[in-house]
mmCIF file of all heavy atoms in Angstrom:
data_model
loop_
_atom_site.group_PDB
_atom_site.id
_atom_site.type_symbol
_atom_site.label_atom_id
_atom_site.label_comp_id
_atom_site.label_asym_id
_atom_site.label_seq_id
_atom_site.Cartn_x
_atom_site.Cartn_y
_atom_site.Cartn_z
ATOM 1 N N GLY A 51 0.759 -1.223 0.008
ATOM 2 C CA GLY A 51 0.016 0.001 0.008
ATOM 3 C C GLY A 51 0.823 1.270 -0.009
ATOM 4 O O GLY A 51 0.281 2.391 -0.118
ATOM 5 N N VAL A 52 2.120 1.147 0.118
ATOM 6 C CA VAL A 52 3.011 2.357 0.199
ATOM 7 C C VAL A 52 3.153 2.942 -1.249
ATOM 8 O O VAL A 52 3.303 2.196 -2.187
ATOM 9 C CB VAL A 52 4.425 1.979 0.751
ATOM 10 C CG1 VAL A 52 5.345 3.167 0.618
ATOM 11 C CG2 VAL A 52 4.289 1.481 2.162
ATOM 12 N N PRO A 53 3.058 4.268 -1.390
ATOM 13 C CA PRO A 53 3.241 4.944 -2.707
ATOM 14 C C PRO A 53 4.547 4.491 -3.348
ATOM 15 O O PRO A 53 5.575 4.334 -2.697
ATOM 16 C CB PRO A 53 3.181 6.382 -2.357
ATOM 17 C CG PRO A 53 2.420 6.489 -1.095
ATOM 18 C CD PRO A 53 2.751 5.233 -0.340
ATOM 19 N N PRO A 54 4.571 4.327 -4.668
ATOM 20 C CA PRO A 54 5.740 3.876 -5.367
ATOM 21 C C PRO A 54 6.981 4.753 -5.142
ATOM 22 O O PRO A 54 8.103 4.255 -5.023
ATOM 23 C CB PRO A 54 5.336 3.929 -6.843
ATOM 24 C CG PRO A 54 3.856 3.778 -6.836
ATOM 25 C CD PRO A 54 3.424 4.437 -5.557
ATOM 26 N N ALA A 55 6.774 6.103 -5.049
ATOM 27 C CA ALA A 55 7.976 6.981 -4.847
ATOM 28 C C ALA A 55 8.581 6.725 -3.509
ATOM 29 O O ALA A 55 9.837 6.739 -3.377
ATOM 30 C CB ALA A 55 7.443 8.409 -4.920
ATOM 31 N N VAL A 56 7.769 6.435 -2.463
ATOM 32 C CA VAL A 56 8.299 6.161 -1.133
ATOM 33 C C VAL A 56 9.011 4.831 -1.135
ATOM 34 O O VAL A 56 10.120 4.667 -0.593
ATOM 35 C CB VAL A 56 7.152 6.172 -0.089
ATOM 36 C CG1 VAL A 56 7.692 5.763 1.295
ATOM 37 C CG2 VAL A 56 6.535 7.528 -0.009
ATOM 38 N N ALA A 57 8.406 3.806 -1.791
ATOM 39 C CA ALA A 57 9.018 2.478 -1.859
ATOM 40 C C ALA A 57 10.356 2.511 -2.577
ATOM 41 O O ALA A 57 11.358 1.869 -2.149
ATOM 42 C CB ALA A 57 8.051 1.531 -2.576
ATOM 43 N N LYS A 58 10.411 3.280 -3.687
ATOM 44 C CA LYS A 58 11.647 3.450 -4.433
ATOM 45 C C LYS A 58 12.739 4.121 -3.584
ATOM 46 O O LYS A 58 13.921 3.737 -3.625
ATOM 47 C CB LYS A 58 11.386 4.257 -5.724
ATOM 48 C CG LYS A 58 12.571 4.250 -6.681
ATOM 49 C CD LYS A 58 12.213 5.028 -7.957
ATOM 50 C CE LYS A 58 11.174 4.346 -8.767
ATOM 51 N NZ LYS A 58 10.905 5.031 -10.021
ATOM 52 N N ALA A 59 12.388 5.115 -2.847
ATOM 53 C CA ALA A 59 13.341 5.815 -1.990
ATOM 54 C C ALA A 59 13.894 4.914 -0.938
ATOM 55 O O ALA A 59 15.139 4.901 -0.681
ATOM 56 C CB ALA A 59 12.648 7.052 -1.285
ATOM 57 N N PHE A 60 13.062 4.086 -0.274
ATOM 58 C CA PHE A 60 13.566 3.188 0.720
ATOM 59 C C PHE A 60 14.394 2.033 0.117
ATOM 60 O O PHE A 60 15.321 1.545 0.759
ATOM 61 C CB PHE A 60 12.372 2.637 1.554
ATOM 62 C CG PHE A 60 12.009 3.474 2.696
ATOM 63 C CD1 PHE A 60 11.043 4.486 2.565
ATOM 64 C CD2 PHE A 60 12.640 3.296 3.950
ATOM 65 C CE1 PHE A 60 10.690 5.280 3.629
ATOM 66 C CE2 PHE A 60 12.271 4.136 5.044
ATOM 67 C CZ PHE A 60 11.323 5.114 4.894
ATOM 68 N N ALA A 61 14.035 1.635 -1.062
ATOM 69 C CA ALA A 61 14.826 0.601 -1.775
ATOM 70 C C ALA A 61 16.257 1.029 -2.034
ATOM 71 O O ALA A 61 17.200 0.270 -2.028
ATOM 72 C CB ALA A 61 14.165 0.241 -3.070
ATOM 73 N N SER A 62 16.432 2.370 -2.253
ATOM 74 C CA SER A 62 17.779 2.947 -2.525
ATOM 75 C C SER A 62 18.488 3.390 -1.274
ATOM 76 O O SER A 62 19.631 3.855 -1.343
ATOM 77 C CB SER A 62 17.630 4.117 -3.492
ATOM 78 O OG SER A 62 17.044 3.707 -4.691
ATOM 79 N N LEU A 63 17.803 3.306 -0.118
ATOM 80 C CA LEU A 63 18.386 3.904 1.106
ATOM 81 C C LEU A 63 19.776 3.384 1.458
ATOM 82 O O LEU A 63 20.752 4.150 1.598
ATOM 83 C CB LEU A 63 17.406 3.729 2.264
ATOM 84 C CG LEU A 63 17.850 4.316 3.622
ATOM 85 C CD1 LEU A 63 18.007 5.824 3.512
ATOM 86 C CD2 LEU A 63 16.836 3.937 4.728
ATOM 87 N N LEU A 64 19.840 2.071 1.676
ATOM 88 C CA LEU A 64 21.145 1.487 2.099
ATOM 89 C C LEU A 64 22.237 1.612 0.977
ATOM 90 O O LEU A 64 23.365 1.967 1.309
ATOM 91 C CB LEU A 64 20.928 0.003 2.506
ATOM 92 C CG LEU A 64 20.127 -0.145 3.833
ATOM 93 C CD1 LEU A 64 19.958 -1.648 4.128
ATOM 94 C CD2 LEU A 64 20.838 0.569 4.965
ATOM 95 N N PRO A 65 21.957 1.280 -0.265
ATOM 96 C CA PRO A 65 22.936 1.510 -1.349
ATOM 97 C C PRO A 65 23.438 2.947 -1.384
ATOM 98 O O PRO A 65 24.616 3.191 -1.577
ATOM 99 C CB PRO A 65 22.216 1.097 -2.628
ATOM 100 C CG PRO A 65 21.201 0.115 -2.150
ATOM 101 C CD PRO A 65 20.721 0.601 -0.811
ATOM 102 N N ALA A 66 22.538 3.913 -1.178
ATOM 103 C CA ALA A 66 22.949 5.318 -1.178
ATOM 104 C C ALA A 66 23.811 5.647 -0.022
ATOM 105 O O ALA A 66 24.850 6.334 -0.173
ATOM 106 C CB ALA A 66 21.644 6.199 -1.170
ATOM 107 N N MET A 67 23.465 5.188 1.131
ATOM 108 C CA MET A 67 24.281 5.475 2.342
ATOM 109 C C MET A 67 25.652 4.874 2.222
ATOM 110 O O MET A 67 26.674 5.559 2.567
ATOM 111 C CB MET A 67 23.546 4.931 3.559
ATOM 112 C CG MET A 67 22.231 5.641 3.910
ATOM 113 S SD MET A 67 21.403 4.902 5.315
ATOM 114 C CE MET A 67 22.554 5.127 6.637
ATOM 115 N N ILE A 68 25.753 3.673 1.728
ATOM 116 C CA ILE A 68 27.057 3.009 1.589
ATOM 117 C C ILE A 68 27.941 3.682 0.555
ATOM 118 O O ILE A 68 29.107 3.924 0.774
ATOM 119 C CB ILE A 68 26.865 1.541 1.204
ATOM 120 C CG1 ILE A 68 26.137 0.760 2.376
ATOM 121 C CG2 ILE A 68 28.192 0.885 0.907
ATOM 122 C CD1 ILE A 68 25.756 -0.661 2.009
ATOM 123 N N THR A 69 27.321 4.061 -0.574
ATOM 124 C CA THR A 69 28.059 4.712 -1.687
ATOM 125 C C THR A 69 28.606 6.045 -1.266
ATOM 126 O O THR A 69 29.817 6.335 -1.433
ATOM 127 C CB THR A 69 27.170 4.858 -2.904
ATOM 128 O OG1 THR A 69 26.715 3.598 -3.309
ATOM 129 C CG2 THR A 69 27.964 5.459 -4.068
ATOM 130 N N ILE A 70 27.737 6.906 -0.754
ATOM 131 C CA ILE A 70 28.211 8.250 -0.337
ATOM 132 C C ILE A 70 29.175 8.163 0.787
ATOM 133 O O ILE A 70 30.196 8.914 0.855
ATOM 134 C CB ILE A 70 26.962 9.129 0.078
ATOM 135 C CG1 ILE A 70 26.058 9.320 -1.181
ATOM 136 C CG2 ILE A 70 27.422 10.478 0.591
ATOM 137 C CD1 ILE A 70 24.774 10.067 -0.917
ATOM 138 N N SER A 71 28.956 7.246 1.720
ATOM 139 C CA SER A 71 29.931 7.075 2.859
ATOM 140 C C SER A 71 31.295 6.654 2.349
ATOM 141 O O SER A 71 32.323 7.095 2.942
ATOM 142 C CB SER A 71 29.379 6.025 3.838
ATOM 143 O OG SER A 71 28.168 6.439 4.438
ATOM 144 N N ALA A 72 31.333 5.840 1.276
ATOM 145 C CA ALA A 72 32.650 5.458 0.707
ATOM 146 C C ALA A 72 33.371 6.642 0.210
ATOM 147 O O ALA A 72 34.609 6.754 0.456
ATOM 148 C CB ALA A 72 32.387 4.424 -0.405
ATOM 149 N N PHE A 73 32.725 7.537 -0.504
ATOM 150 C CA PHE A 73 33.408 8.757 -1.010
ATOM 151 C C PHE A 73 33.768 9.719 0.152
ATOM 152 O O PHE A 73 34.799 10.362 0.089
ATOM 153 C CB PHE A 73 32.516 9.455 -2.012
ATOM 154 C CG PHE A 73 32.540 8.784 -3.381
ATOM 155 C CD1 PHE A 73 31.564 7.840 -3.748
ATOM 156 C CD2 PHE A 73 33.530 9.091 -4.292
ATOM 157 C CE1 PHE A 73 31.550 7.240 -4.951
ATOM 158 C CE2 PHE A 73 33.597 8.463 -5.554
ATOM 159 C CZ PHE A 73 32.566 7.545 -5.877
ATOM 160 N N ALA A 74 32.914 9.788 1.157
ATOM 161 C CA ALA A 74 33.243 10.600 2.304
ATOM 162 C C ALA A 74 34.495 10.110 3.055
ATOM 163 O O ALA A 74 35.317 10.834 3.525
ATOM 164 C CB ALA A 74 32.039 10.631 3.287
ATOM 165 N N LEU A 75 34.598 8.753 3.102
ATOM 166 C CA LEU A 75 35.818 8.153 3.664
ATOM 167 C C LEU A 75 37.051 8.494 2.881
ATOM 168 O O LEU A 75 38.122 8.781 3.478
ATOM 169 C CB LEU A 75 35.618 6.632 3.754
ATOM 170 C CG LEU A 75 36.787 5.854 4.338
ATOM 171 C CD1 LEU A 75 37.071 6.226 5.801
ATOM 172 C CD2 LEU A 75 36.501 4.334 4.301
ATOM 173 N N VAL A 76 36.944 8.447 1.588
ATOM 174 C CA VAL A 76 38.088 8.807 0.740
ATOM 175 C C VAL A 76 38.511 10.248 0.964
ATOM 176 O O VAL A 76 39.717 10.580 1.118
ATOM 177 C CB VAL A 76 37.741 8.597 -0.785
ATOM 178 C CG1 VAL A 76 38.818 9.193 -1.678
ATOM 179 C CG2 VAL A 76 37.562 7.131 -1.096
ATOM 180 N N ALA A 77 37.505 11.122 1.049
ATOM 181 C CA ALA A 77 37.779 12.539 1.326
ATOM 182 C C ALA A 77 38.499 12.708 2.696
ATOM 183 O O ALA A 77 39.380 13.527 2.859
ATOM 184 C CB ALA A 77 36.524 13.367 1.289
ATOM 185 N N ALA A 78 38.005 11.951 3.712
ATOM 186 C CA ALA A 78 38.616 12.020 5.031
ATOM 187 C C ALA A 78 40.059 11.535 5.047
ATOM 188 O O ALA A 78 40.899 12.096 5.722
ATOM 189 C CB ALA A 78 37.753 11.218 5.988
ATOM 190 N N ILE A 79 40.315 10.522 4.268
ATOM 191 C CA ILE A 79 41.708 9.996 4.164
ATOM 192 C C ILE A 79 42.622 11.054 3.565
ATOM 193 O O ILE A 79 43.686 11.273 3.974
ATOM 194 C CB ILE A 79 41.737 8.659 3.337
ATOM 195 C CG1 ILE A 79 41.010 7.580 4.105
ATOM 196 C CG2 ILE A 79 43.159 8.274 3.029
ATOM 197 C CD1 ILE A 79 40.817 6.259 3.336
ATOM 198 N N PHE A 80 42.170 11.684 2.440
ATOM 199 C CA PHE A 80 42.933 12.738 1.811
ATOM 200 C C PHE A 80 43.140 13.908 2.753
ATOM 201 O O PHE A 80 44.267 14.484 2.881
ATOM 202 C CB PHE A 80 42.215 13.250 0.547
ATOM 203 C CG PHE A 80 42.567 12.489 -0.680
ATOM 204 C CD1 PHE A 80 41.688 11.481 -1.127
ATOM 205 C CD2 PHE A 80 43.687 12.736 -1.370
ATOM 206 C CE1 PHE A 80 41.963 10.762 -2.324
ATOM 207 C CE2 PHE A 80 44.032 12.014 -2.528
ATOM 208 C CZ PHE A 80 43.129 11.043 -3.021
ATOM 209 N N ALA A 81 42.126 14.262 3.518
ATOM 210 C CA ALA A 81 42.243 15.359 4.487
ATOM 211 C C ALA A 81 43.190 15.039 5.566
ATOM 212 O O ALA A 81 43.974 15.911 6.060
ATOM 213 C CB ALA A 81 40.846 15.652 5.090
ATOM 214 N N ALA A 82 43.268 13.778 5.964
ATOM 215 C CA ALA A 82 44.237 13.316 7.003
ATOM 216 C C ALA A 82 45.687 13.536 6.526
ATOM 217 O O ALA A 82 46.592 13.738 7.343
ATOM 218 C CB ALA A 82 43.997 11.903 7.364
ATOM 219 N N PHE A 83 45.879 13.503 5.206
ATOM 220 C CA PHE A 83 47.205 13.703 4.647
ATOM 221 C C PHE A 83 47.415 15.149 4.206
ATOM 222 O O PHE A 83 48.346 15.504 3.457
ATOM 223 C CB PHE A 83 47.461 12.777 3.466
ATOM 224 C CG PHE A 83 47.696 11.372 3.838
ATOM 225 C CD1 PHE A 83 46.649 10.433 3.869
ATOM 226 C CD2 PHE A 83 48.985 10.909 4.182
ATOM 227 C CE1 PHE A 83 46.878 9.093 4.251
ATOM 228 C CE2 PHE A 83 49.171 9.604 4.540
ATOM 229 C CZ PHE A 83 48.143 8.691 4.599
ATOM 230 N N GLY A 84 46.485 16.033 4.617
ATOM 231 C CA GLY A 84 46.639 17.482 4.354
ATOM 232 C C GLY A 84 46.065 17.922 3.038
ATOM 233 O O GLY A 84 46.312 19.080 2.607
ATOM 234 N N VAL A 85 45.296 17.101 2.365
ATOM 235 C CA VAL A 85 44.700 17.481 1.052
ATOM 236 C C VAL A 85 43.234 17.838 1.320
ATOM 237 O O VAL A 85 42.365 16.941 1.331
ATOM 238 C CB VAL A 85 44.832 16.379 -0.004
ATOM 239 C CG1 VAL A 85 44.207 16.829 -1.339
ATOM 240 C CG2 VAL A 85 46.279 16.012 -0.207
#
């Protein structure tokens, strides 16, 4: 019964969090080396 837009958003929730977190981690590593 959940609207398709809501269902699609939740379906992408964990993949989105993992993907963006991976790039945030890369940025943090560069920052640790002064970049």
